[in-house]
PDB file of all heavy atoms in Angstrom:
ATOM      1  N   SER J   1     165.010 133.889 139.647  1.00 88.00           N
ATOM      2  CA  SER J   1     165.820 135.112 139.442  1.00 88.00           C
ATOM      3  C   SER J   1     164.906 136.337 139.317  1.00 88.00           C
ATOM      4  O   SER J   1     165.384 137.476 139.563  1.00 88.00           O
ATOM      5  CB  SER J   1     166.672 134.983 138.197  1.00 88.00           C
ATOM      6  OG  SER J   1     165.901 134.997 137.008  1.00 88.00           O
ATOM      7  N   LEU J   2     163.686 136.166 138.917  1.00 85.00           N
ATOM      8  CA  LEU J   2     162.776 137.303 138.781  1.00 85.00           C
ATOM      9  C   LEU J   2     162.558 138.012 140.128  1.00 85.00           C
ATOM     10  O   LEU J   2     162.316 139.217 140.165  1.00 85.00           O
ATOM     11  CB  LEU J   2     161.401 136.825 138.255  1.00 85.00           C
ATOM     12  CG  LEU J   2     161.314 136.527 136.756  1.00 85.00           C
ATOM     13  CD1 LEU J   2     159.945 135.935 136.453  1.00 85.00           C
ATOM     14  CD2 LEU J   2     161.532 137.768 135.956  1.00 85.00           C
ATOM     15  N   TYR J   3     162.627 137.249 141.225  1.00 79.00           N
ATOM     16  CA  TYR J   3     162.306 137.824 142.519  1.00 79.00           C
ATOM     17  C   TYR J   3     163.393 138.817 142.999  1.00 79.00           C
ATOM     18  O   TYR J   3     163.121 139.618 143.899  1.00 79.00           O
ATOM     19  CB  TYR J   3     162.175 136.695 143.551  1.00 79.00           C
ATOM     20  CG  TYR J   3     160.910 135.862 143.338  1.00 79.00           C
ATOM     21  CD1 TYR J   3     160.853 134.946 142.296  1.00 79.00           C
ATOM     22  CD2 TYR J   3     159.839 136.006 144.171  1.00 79.00           C
ATOM     23  CE1 TYR J   3     159.703 134.208 142.093  1.00 79.00           C
ATOM     24  CE2 TYR J   3     158.683 135.266 143.963  1.00 79.00           C
ATOM     25  CZ  TYR J   3     158.625 134.351 142.927  1.00 79.00           C
ATOM     26  OH  TYR J   3     157.501 133.610 142.712  1.00 79.00           O
ATOM     27  N   GLY J   4     164.544 138.768 142.390  1.00 81.00           N
ATOM     28  CA  GLY J   4     165.568 139.735 142.795  1.00 81.00           C
ATOM     29  C   GLY J   4     165.685 140.893 141.859  1.00 81.00           C
ATOM     30  O   GLY J   4     166.621 141.724 142.014  1.00 81.00           O
ATOM     31  N   LYS J   5     164.820 141.022 140.892  1.00 86.00           N
ATOM     32  CA  LYS J   5     164.938 142.077 139.866  1.00 86.00           C
ATOM     33  C   LYS J   5     164.467 143.448 140.341  1.00 86.00           C
ATOM     34  O   LYS J   5     164.904 144.478 139.853  1.00 86.00           O
ATOM     35  CB  LYS J   5     164.164 141.671 138.621  1.00 86.00           C
ATOM     36  CG  LYS J   5     164.832 140.576 137.806  1.00 86.00           C
ATOM     37  CD  LYS J   5     166.150 141.032 137.226  1.00 86.00           C
ATOM     38  CE  LYS J   5     166.764 140.003 136.292  1.00 86.00           C
ATOM     39  NZ  LYS J   5     168.055 140.471 135.762  1.00 86.00           N
ATOM     40  N   GLY J   6     163.540 143.479 141.292  1.00 84.00           N
ATOM     41  CA  GLY J   6     163.031 144.751 141.739  1.00 84.00           C
ATOM     42  C   GLY J   6     162.095 145.413 140.745  1.00 84.00           C
ATOM     43  O   GLY J   6     161.850 146.617 140.816  1.00 84.00           O
ATOM     44  N   TRP J   7     161.606 144.647 139.789  1.00 89.00           N
ATOM     45  CA  TRP J   7     160.666 145.189 138.797  1.00 89.00           C
ATOM     46  C   TRP J   7     159.259 145.293 139.381  1.00 89.00           C
ATOM     47  O   TRP J   7     158.929 144.689 140.415  1.00 89.00           O
ATOM     48  CB  TRP J   7     160.629 144.310 137.543  1.00 89.00           C
ATOM     49  CG  TRP J   7     161.890 144.391 136.758  1.00 89.00           C
ATOM     50  CD1 TRP J   7     162.769 145.452 136.675  1.00 89.00           C
ATOM     51  CD2 TRP J   7     162.411 143.384 135.860  1.00 89.00           C
ATOM     52  NE1 TRP J   7     163.820 145.148 135.828  1.00 89.00           N
ATOM     53  CE2 TRP J   7     163.627 143.916 135.332  1.00 89.00           C
ATOM     54  CE3 TRP J   7     162.008 142.145 135.494  1.00 89.00           C
ATOM     55  CZ2 TRP J   7     164.408 143.189 134.420  1.00 89.00           C
ATOM     56  CZ3 TRP J   7     162.780 141.378 134.608  1.00 89.00           C
ATOM     57  CH2 TRP J   7     163.949 141.925 134.072  1.00 89.00           C
ATOM     58  N   ALA J   8     158.402 146.028 138.704  1.00 87.00           N
ATOM     59  CA  ALA J   8     157.008 146.165 139.111  1.00 87.00           C
ATOM     60  C   ALA J   8     156.334 144.789 139.077  1.00 87.00           C
ATOM     61  O   ALA J   8     156.692 143.922 138.247  1.00 87.00           O
ATOM     62  CB  ALA J   8     156.269 147.151 138.213  1.00 87.00           C
ATOM     63  N   LYS J   9     155.335 144.636 139.941  1.00 82.00           N
ATOM     64  CA  LYS J   9     154.653 143.340 140.027  1.00 82.00           C
ATOM     65  C   LYS J   9     154.025 142.976 138.689  1.00 82.00           C
ATOM     66  O   LYS J   9     154.062 141.803 138.254  1.00 82.00           O
ATOM     67  CB  LYS J   9     153.563 143.424 141.081  1.00 82.00           C
ATOM     68  CG  LYS J   9     152.803 142.095 141.302  1.00 82.00           C
ATOM     69  CD  LYS J   9     151.840 142.209 142.441  1.00 82.00           C
ATOM     70  CE  LYS J   9     151.116 140.874 142.658  1.00 82.00           C
ATOM     71  NZ  LYS J   9     150.189 140.904 143.820  1.00 82.00           N
ATOM     72  N   SER J  10     153.456 143.964 137.975  1.00 85.00           N
ATOM     73  CA  SER J  10     152.832 143.672 136.680  1.00 85.00           C
ATOM     74  C   SER J  10     153.846 143.163 135.684  1.00 85.00           C
ATOM     75  O   SER J  10     153.574 142.214 134.906  1.00 85.00           O
ATOM     76  CB  SER J  10     152.158 144.928 136.105  1.00 85.00           C
ATOM     77  OG  SER J  10     153.113 145.975 135.958  1.00 85.00           O
ATOM     78  N   ARG J  11     155.064 143.694 135.707  1.00 88.00           N
ATOM     79  CA  ARG J  11     156.140 143.219 134.816  1.00 88.00           C
ATOM     80  C   ARG J  11     156.542 141.807 135.160  1.00 88.00           C
ATOM     81  O   ARG J  11     156.776 140.977 134.279  1.00 88.00           O
ATOM     82  CB  ARG J  11     157.330 144.191 134.873  1.00 88.00           C
ATOM     83  CG  ARG J  11     158.575 143.759 134.087  1.00 88.00           C
ATOM     84  CD  ARG J  11     158.331 143.517 132.649  1.00 88.00           C
ATOM     85  NE  ARG J  11     157.649 144.598 131.978  1.00 88.00           N
ATOM     86  CZ  ARG J  11     158.270 145.652 131.434  1.00 88.00           C
ATOM     87  NH1 ARG J  11     159.568 145.776 131.496  1.00 88.00           N
ATOM     88  NH2 ARG J  11     157.571 146.555 130.799  1.00 88.00           N
ATOM     89  N   ILE J  12     156.664 141.499 136.453  1.00 86.00           N
ATOM     90  CA  ILE J  12     157.022 140.158 136.898  1.00 86.00           C
ATOM     91  C   ILE J  12     155.999 139.141 136.388  1.00 86.00           C
ATOM     92  O   ILE J  12     156.349 138.057 135.873  1.00 86.00           O
ATOM     93  CB  ILE J  12     157.136 140.093 138.417  1.00 86.00           C
ATOM     94  CG1 ILE J  12     158.241 141.006 138.933  1.00 86.00           C
ATOM     95  CG2 ILE J  12     157.378 138.647 138.868  1.00 86.00           C
ATOM     96  CD1 ILE J  12     159.626 140.584 138.582  1.00 86.00           C
ATOM     97  N   ILE J  13     154.742 139.489 136.537  1.00 84.00           N
ATOM     98  CA  ILE J  13     153.662 138.573 136.122  1.00 84.00           C
ATOM     99  C   ILE J  13     153.666 138.356 134.619  1.00 84.00           C
ATOM    100  O   ILE J  13     153.454 137.254 134.114  1.00 84.00           O
ATOM    101  CB  ILE J  13     152.290 139.082 136.602  1.00 84.00           C
ATOM    102  CG1 ILE J  13     152.236 139.037 138.147  1.00 84.00           C
ATOM    103  CG2 ILE J  13     151.153 138.267 136.022  1.00 84.00           C
ATOM    104  CD1 ILE J  13     151.010 139.669 138.727  1.00 84.00           C
ATOM    105  N   GLN J  14     153.934 139.439 133.870  1.00 88.00           N
ATOM    106  CA  GLN J  14     154.037 139.295 132.395  1.00 88.00           C
ATOM    107  C   GLN J  14     155.139 138.328 132.018  1.00 88.00           C
ATOM    108  O   GLN J  14     154.950 137.477 131.148  1.00 88.00           O
ATOM    109  CB  GLN J  14     154.273 140.711 131.797  1.00 88.00           C
ATOM    110  CG  GLN J  14     153.078 141.621 131.841  1.00 88.00           C
ATOM    111  CD  GLN J  14     153.477 143.043 131.465  1.00 88.00           C
ATOM    112  OE1 GLN J  14     154.626 143.428 131.445  1.00 88.00           O
ATOM    113  NE2 GLN J  14     152.449 143.864 131.195  1.00 88.00           N
ATOM    114  N   LEU J  15     156.271 138.491 132.680  1.00 91.00           N
ATOM    115  CA  LEU J  15     157.388 137.599 132.350  1.00 91.00           C
ATOM    116  C   LEU J  15     157.178 136.176 132.810  1.00 91.00           C
ATOM    117  O   LEU J  15     157.589 135.228 132.165  1.00 91.00           O
ATOM    118  CB  LEU J  15     158.699 138.161 132.934  1.00 91.00           C
ATOM    119  CG  LEU J  15     159.222 139.372 132.187  1.00 91.00           C
ATOM    120  CD1 LEU J  15     160.296 140.073 132.993  1.00 91.00           C
ATOM    121  CD2 LEU J  15     159.818 138.962 130.839  1.00 91.00           C
ATOM    122  N   LEU J  16     156.503 136.010 133.923  1.00 87.00           N
ATOM    123  CA  LEU J  16     156.125 134.672 134.381  1.00 87.00           C
ATOM    124  C   LEU J  16     155.297 133.970 133.308  1.00 87.00           C
ATOM    125  O   LEU J  16     155.507 132.802 133.023  1.00 87.00           O
ATOM    126  CB  LEU J  16     155.342 134.749 135.674  1.00 87.00           C
ATOM    127  CG  LEU J  16     156.125 134.746 136.993  1.00 87.00           C
ATOM    128  CD1 LEU J  16     155.191 135.025 138.147  1.00 87.00           C
ATOM    129  CD2 LEU J  16     156.826 133.435 137.208  1.00 87.00           C
ATOM    130  N   ARG J  17     154.356 134.698 132.743  1.00 87.00           N
ATOM    131  CA  ARG J  17     153.491 134.120 131.730  1.00 87.00           C
ATOM    132  C   ARG J  17     154.304 133.703 130.486  1.00 87.00           C
ATOM    133  O   ARG J  17     154.128 132.597 129.957  1.00 87.00           O
ATOM    134  CB  ARG J  17     152.403 135.118 131.339  1.00 87.00           C
ATOM    135  CG  ARG J  17     151.515 134.669 130.201  1.00 87.00           C
ATOM    136  CD  ARG J  17     150.497 135.749 129.867  1.00 87.00           C
ATOM    137  NE  ARG J  17     149.765 135.450 128.659  1.00 87.00           N
ATOM    138  CZ  ARG J  17     148.672 134.736 128.577  1.00 87.00           C
ATOM    139  NH1 ARG J  17     148.156 134.234 129.705  1.00 87.00           N
ATOM    140  NH2 ARG J  17     148.064 134.520 127.454  1.00 87.00           N
ATOM    141  N   ILE J  18     155.219 134.613 130.051  1.00 91.00           N
ATOM    142  CA  ILE J  18     155.995 134.292 128.867  1.00 91.00           C
ATOM    143  C   ILE J  18     156.939 133.133 129.084  1.00 91.00           C
ATOM    144  O   ILE J  18     157.054 132.224 128.249  1.00 91.00           O
ATOM    145  CB  ILE J  18     156.776 135.571 128.457  1.00 91.00           C
ATOM    146  CG1 ILE J  18     155.733 136.628 127.940  1.00 91.00           C
ATOM    147  CG2 ILE J  18     157.782 135.253 127.353  1.00 91.00           C
ATOM    148  CD1 ILE J  18     156.352 138.017 127.843  1.00 91.00           C
ATOM    149  N   ILE J  19     157.626 133.130 130.224  1.00 91.00           N
ATOM    150  CA  ILE J  19     158.556 132.014 130.533  1.00 91.00           C
ATOM    151  C   ILE J  19     157.779 130.693 130.646  1.00 91.00           C
ATOM    152  O   ILE J  19     158.210 129.664 130.149  1.00 91.00           O
ATOM    153  CB  ILE J  19     159.324 132.318 131.826  1.00 91.00           C
ATOM    154  CG1 ILE J  19     160.304 133.474 131.562  1.00 91.00           C
ATOM    155  CG2 ILE J  19     160.107 131.084 132.294  1.00 91.00           C
ATOM    156  CD1 ILE J  19     160.991 133.989 132.832  1.00 91.00           C
ATOM    157  N   ASP J  20     156.624 130.754 131.336  1.00 87.00           N
ATOM    158  CA  ASP J  20     155.823 129.540 131.474  1.00 87.00           C
ATOM    159  C   ASP J  20     155.351 129.020 130.139  1.00 87.00           C
ATOM    160  O   ASP J  20     155.328 127.830 129.881  1.00 87.00           O
ATOM    161  CB  ASP J  20     154.617 129.881 132.346  1.00 87.00           C
ATOM    162  CG  ASP J  20     153.777 128.643 132.717  1.00 87.00           C
ATOM    163  OD1 ASP J  20     154.339 127.736 133.384  1.00 87.00           O
ATOM    164  OD2 ASP J  20     152.607 128.562 132.275  1.00 87.00           O
ATOM    165  N   TRP J  21     155.029 129.923 129.236  1.00 86.00           N
ATOM    166  CA  TRP J  21     154.534 129.563 127.906  1.00 86.00           C
ATOM    167  C   TRP J  21     155.675 128.932 127.089  1.00 86.00           C
ATOM    168  O   TRP J  21     155.482 127.916 126.393  1.00 86.00           O
ATOM    169  CB  TRP J  21     154.010 130.797 127.222  1.00 86.00           C
ATOM    170  CG  TRP J  21     152.893 130.580 126.253  1.00 86.00           C
ATOM    171  CD1 TRP J  21     152.564 129.421 125.629  1.00 86.00           C
ATOM    172  CD2 TRP J  21     151.993 131.558 125.796  1.00 86.00           C
ATOM    173  NE1 TRP J  21     151.474 129.617 124.806  1.00 86.00           N
ATOM    174  CE2 TRP J  21     151.115 130.916 124.882  1.00 86.00           C
ATOM    175  CE3 TRP J  21     151.808 132.921 126.034  1.00 86.00           C
ATOM    176  CZ2 TRP J  21     150.077 131.599 124.229  1.00 86.00           C
ATOM    177  CZ3 TRP J  21     150.793 133.569 125.404  1.00 86.00           C
ATOM    178  CH2 TRP J  21     149.932 132.928 124.499  1.00 86.00           C
ATOM    179  N   LEU J  22     156.840 129.525 127.178  1.00 89.00           N
ATOM    180  CA  LEU J  22     158.015 129.001 126.412  1.00 89.00           C
ATOM    181  C   LEU J  22     158.468 127.670 126.930  1.00 89.00           C
ATOM    182  O   LEU J  22     158.660 126.710 126.158  1.00 89.00           O
ATOM    183  CB  LEU J  22     159.148 130.013 126.471  1.00 89.00           C
ATOM    184  CG  LEU J  22     159.227 131.084 125.391  1.00 89.00           C
ATOM    185  CD1 LEU J  22     160.305 132.102 125.759  1.00 89.00           C
ATOM    186  CD2 LEU J  22     159.498 130.486 124.026  1.00 89.00           C
ATOM    187  N   MET J  23     158.642 127.571 128.221  1.00 90.00           N
ATOM    188  CA  MET J  23     159.333 126.432 128.814  1.00 90.00           C
ATOM    189  C   MET J  23     158.312 125.388 129.309  1.00 90.00           C
ATOM    190  O   MET J  23     158.211 125.157 130.533  1.00 90.00           O
ATOM    191  CB  MET J  23     160.276 126.879 129.931  1.00 90.00           C
ATOM    192  CG  MET J  23     161.251 127.962 129.468  1.00 90.00           C
ATOM    193  SD  MET J  23     162.519 128.358 130.702  1.00 90.00           S
ATOM    194  CE  MET J  23     163.568 126.898 130.598  1.00 90.00           C
ATOM    195  N   ALA J  24     157.592 124.802 128.423  1.00 87.00           N
ATOM    196  CA  ALA J  24     156.528 123.839 128.783  1.00 87.00           C
ATOM    197  C   ALA J  24     157.115 122.641 129.469  1.00 87.00           C
ATOM    198  O   ALA J  24     158.181 122.121 129.099  1.00 87.00           O
ATOM    199  CB  ALA J  24     155.777 123.408 127.499  1.00 87.00           C
ATOM    200  N   LEU J  25     156.405 122.144 130.515  1.00 86.00           N
ATOM    201  CA  LEU J  25     156.812 120.979 131.292  1.00 86.00           C
ATOM    202  C   LEU J  25     155.676 119.981 131.363  1.00 86.00           C
ATOM    203  O   LEU J  25     154.501 120.350 131.237  1.00 86.00           O
ATOM    204  CB  LEU J  25     157.175 121.392 132.726  1.00 86.00           C
ATOM    205  CG  LEU J  25     158.483 122.186 132.924  1.00 86.00           C
ATOM    206  CD1 LEU J  25     158.555 122.691 134.366  1.00 86.00           C
ATOM    207  CD2 LEU J  25     159.679 121.333 132.601  1.00 86.00           C
ATOM    208  N   PRO J  26     155.991 118.707 131.592  1.00 86.00           N
ATOM    209  CA  PRO J  26     154.935 117.699 131.859  1.00 86.00           C
ATOM    210  C   PRO J  26     154.166 118.084 133.115  1.00 86.00           C
ATOM    211  O   PRO J  26     154.689 118.778 133.989  1.00 86.00           O
ATOM    212  CB  PRO J  26     155.720 116.397 132.056  1.00 86.00           C
ATOM    213  CG  PRO J  26     157.044 116.640 131.409  1.00 86.00           C
ATOM    214  CD  PRO J  26     157.352 118.096 131.577  1.00 86.00           C
ATOM    215  N   PRO J  27     152.897 117.676 133.197  1.00 82.00           N
ATOM    216  CA  PRO J  27     152.027 118.100 134.314  1.00 82.00           C
ATOM    217  C   PRO J  27     152.616 117.886 135.698  1.00 82.00           C
ATOM    218  O   PRO J  27     152.527 118.772 136.548  1.00 82.00           O
ATOM    219  CB  PRO J  27     150.768 117.296 134.114  1.00 82.00           C
ATOM    220  CG  PRO J  27     150.746 116.979 132.631  1.00 82.00           C
ATOM    221  CD  PRO J  27     152.181 116.801 132.251  1.00 82.00           C
ATOM    222  N   HIS J  28     153.229 116.718 135.958  1.00 81.00           N
ATOM    223  CA  HIS J  28     153.728 116.455 137.301  1.00 81.00           C
ATOM    224  C   HIS J  28     154.887 117.346 137.687  1.00 81.00           C
ATOM    225  O   HIS J  28     155.039 117.774 138.823  1.00 81.00           O
ATOM    226  CB  HIS J  28     154.124 114.965 137.449  1.00 81.00           C
ATOM    227  CG  HIS J  28     155.319 114.568 136.663  1.00 81.00           C
ATOM    228  ND1 HIS J  28     155.291 114.373 135.286  1.00 81.00           N
ATOM    229  CD2 HIS J  28     156.610 114.314 137.034  1.00 81.00           C
ATOM    230  CE1 HIS J  28     156.498 114.036 134.867  1.00 81.00           C
ATOM    231  NE2 HIS J  28     157.294 114.012 135.912  1.00 81.00           N
ATOM    232  N   LEU J  29     155.758 117.680 136.673  1.00 84.00           N
ATOM    233  CA  LEU J  29     156.848 118.615 136.970  1.00 84.00           C
ATOM    234  C   LEU J  29     156.335 120.035 137.096  1.00 84.00           C
ATOM    235  O   LEU J  29     156.864 120.821 137.927  1.00 84.00           O
ATOM    236  CB  LEU J  29     157.899 118.516 135.870  1.00 84.00           C
ATOM    237  CG  LEU J  29     158.725 117.231 135.796  1.00 84.00           C
ATOM    238  CD1 LEU J  29     159.718 117.274 134.645  1.00 84.00           C
ATOM    239  CD2 LEU J  29     159.429 117.005 137.120  1.00 84.00           C
ATOM    240  N   GLU J  30     155.343 120.398 136.313  1.00 83.00           N
ATOM    241  CA  GLU J  30     154.776 121.722 136.436  1.00 83.00           C
ATOM    242  C   GLU J  30     154.144 121.916 137.845  1.00 83.00           C
ATOM    243  O   GLU J  30     154.333 122.977 138.467  1.00 83.00           O
ATOM    244  CB  GLU J  30     153.675 121.935 135.360  1.00 83.00           C
ATOM    245  CG  GLU J  30     153.222 123.364 135.199  1.00 83.00           C
ATOM    246  CD  GLU J  30     154.357 124.248 134.738  1.00 83.00           C
ATOM    247  OE1 GLU J  30     154.941 123.984 133.650  1.00 83.00           O
ATOM    248  OE2 GLU J  30     154.633 125.251 135.420  1.00 83.00           O
ATOM    249  N   GLN J  31     153.474 120.901 138.362  1.00 80.00           N
ATOM    250  CA  GLN J  31     152.891 120.973 139.672  1.00 80.00           C
ATOM    251  C   GLN J  31     153.978 121.103 140.746  1.00 80.00           C
ATOM    252  O   GLN J  31     153.859 121.906 141.679  1.00 80.00           O
ATOM    253  CB  GLN J  31     152.039 119.732 139.965  1.00 80.00           C
ATOM    254  CG  GLN J  31     151.328 119.772 141.298  1.00 80.00           C
ATOM    255  CD  GLN J  31     150.460 118.546 141.528  1.00 80.00           C
ATOM    256  OE1 GLN J  31     150.458 117.623 140.693  1.00 80.00           O
ATOM    257  NE2 GLN J  31     149.734 118.501 142.608  1.00 80.00           N
ATOM    258  N   SER J  32     155.043 120.322 140.592  1.00 82.00           N
ATOM    259  CA  SER J  32     156.149 120.423 141.532  1.00 82.00           C
ATOM    260  C   SER J  32     156.781 121.811 141.531  1.00 82.00           C
ATOM    261  O   SER J  32     157.103 122.377 142.573  1.00 82.00           O
ATOM    262  CB  SER J  32     157.197 119.353 141.218  1.00 82.00           C
ATOM    263  OG  SER J  32     158.357 119.527 141.977  1.00 82.00           O
ATOM    264  N   LEU J  33     156.941 122.347 140.349  1.00 84.00           N
ATOM    265  CA  LEU J  33     157.537 123.677 140.227  1.00 84.00           C
ATOM    266  C   LEU J  33     156.671 124.740 140.908  1.00 84.00           C
ATOM    267  O   LEU J  33     157.181 125.587 141.639  1.00 84.00           O
ATOM    268  CB  LEU J  33     157.730 124.048 138.738  1.00 84.00           C
ATOM    269  CG  LEU J  33     158.351 125.402 138.442  1.00 84.00           C
ATOM    270  CD1 LEU J  33     159.798 125.463 138.904  1.00 84.00           C
ATOM    271  CD2 LEU J  33     158.241 125.757 136.969  1.00 84.00           C
ATOM    272  N   ARG J  34     155.375 124.656 140.694  1.00 81.00           N
ATOM    273  CA  ARG J  34     154.463 125.632 141.320  1.00 81.00           C
ATOM    274  C   ARG J  34     154.535 125.524 142.838  1.00 81.00           C
ATOM    275  O   ARG J  34     154.468 126.544 143.548  1.00 81.00           O
ATOM    276  CB  ARG J  34     153.041 125.427 140.819  1.00 81.00           C
ATOM    277  CG  ARG J  34     152.835 125.671 139.340  1.00 81.00           C
ATOM    278  CD  ARG J  34     153.161 127.128 138.971  1.00 81.00           C
ATOM    279  NE  ARG J  34     153.116 127.334 137.527  1.00 81.00           N
ATOM    280  CZ  ARG J  34     152.054 127.789 136.863  1.00 81.00           C
ATOM    281  NH1 ARG J  34     150.943 128.016 137.532  1.00 81.00           N
ATOM    282  NH2 ARG J  34     152.110 127.943 135.587  1.00 81.00           N
TER     283      ARG J  34
END
């Protein structure tokens, strides 16, 4: 959903970091998601 927000790239990256930090996944699922 972040890709449709039209926010600045720096803001998108900040939120990616926060969401990634909050929503921890096992390594194999994290790799699949990436």
Side-chain angles (χ1 to χ4, degrees):
S1 71
L2 283 173
Y3 290 74
K5 288 294 186 180
W7 290 334
K9 183 175 181 178
S10 59
R11 174 57 52 87
I12 298 290
I13 293 173
Q14 289 169 345
L15 285 166
L16 272 172
R17 175 182 171 87
I18 291 165
I19 291 171
D20 186 64
W21 211 340
L22 271 170
M23 305 188 74
L25 289 171
H28 69 285
L29 290 180
E30 193 64 56
Q31 183 179 5
S32 172
L33 180 67
R34 295 300 173 93

